[in-house]
Amino acid sequence: MPRKRFDLTFPPNQATKPITYHLVKDYDLTPNILRAQIQPGQEGRMLLEITGPKESFDAGVAFLEAEGITVQPAATDICLDEDACVLCGLCTAVCRPGALTMSAETGALVFDKDKCVYCEACVVACPRRAITLSF
Ligand code: SF4
Ligand code: SF4
């Protein structure tokens, strides 16, 4: 089943709308909120992963945009500059989902894409600026 991640920006008056309910009920899509920063009366942001039939994605995105929500493809990978990385492990300490770990066998930095929620904590934590997000 196809899976895509989207970065949603809500205008202040739309931030509490039950969009995930409508994606499930009306578009046969399964949304998974990976990250959200939503306060009533303020602009909101949400990182949303959607799984469902390929033909439903466009209709689901069109629904979100019709609701006044800005929909952009979310980051899909992180890039490591191996020349800059000194294997200090700081990024693994801030990675709450456990997507970044140090290999006990090789000492290498290991990235598990399926666990990453693209929170950017590792990008901020890295003293060498060795990690960037790509889209
Ligand atoms: S914090 Fe930066 S330098 Fe340290 S292990 Fe992670 S990527 Fe490498
Ligand atoms: S973006 Fe967040 S979840 Fe992904 S590797 Fe970095 S700290 Fe971990």
Side-chain angles (χ1 to χ4, degrees), residues 66-113:
E67 293 295 324
I69 299 164
T70 302
V71 184
Q72 295 180 307
T76 56
D77 209 351
I78 67 169
C79 301
L80 175 68
D81 180 345
E82 292 185 3
D83 291 335
C85 177
V86 293
L87 299 174
C88 67
L90 281 175
C91 56
T92 65
V94 299
C95 181
R96 297 178 73 178
L100 283 169
T101 53
M102 304 297 291
S103 167
E105 292 173 0
T106 66
L109 184 61
V110 179
F111 175 56
D112 184 340
K113 185 174 179 171

Side-chain angles (χ1 to χ4, degrees), residues 78 91 94-95 97 99-100 111 115-122 133:
I78 67 169
C91 56
V94 299
C95 181
L100 283 169
F111 175 56
K115 291 182 179 174
C116 180
V117 299
Y118 303 99
C119 64
E120 301 185 35
C122 57
L133 293 179

Side-chain angles (χ1 to χ4, degrees), residues 14 18 30 39 42 47-48 51 57 60 64-65 82-83 97-98 120 125 128-129:
Q14 294 292 95
T30 304
Q39 304 272 349
Q42 296 181 21
L47 179 62
L48 190 66
T51 306
F57 276 99
L64 295 172
E65 291 176 335
E82 292 185 3
D83 291 335
E120 301 185 35
R128 303 278 296 175
R129 299 287 181 263

Side-chain angles (χ1 to χ4, degrees), residues 10 24-25 28 32 40 44 59 73 75 99-100 110-111 115 126 129 131:
F10 296 74
V24 173
K25 181 174 173 291
D28 194 23
N32 179 21
L100 283 169
V110 179
F111 175 56
K115 291 182 179 174
C126 178
R129 299 287 181 263
I131 302 177

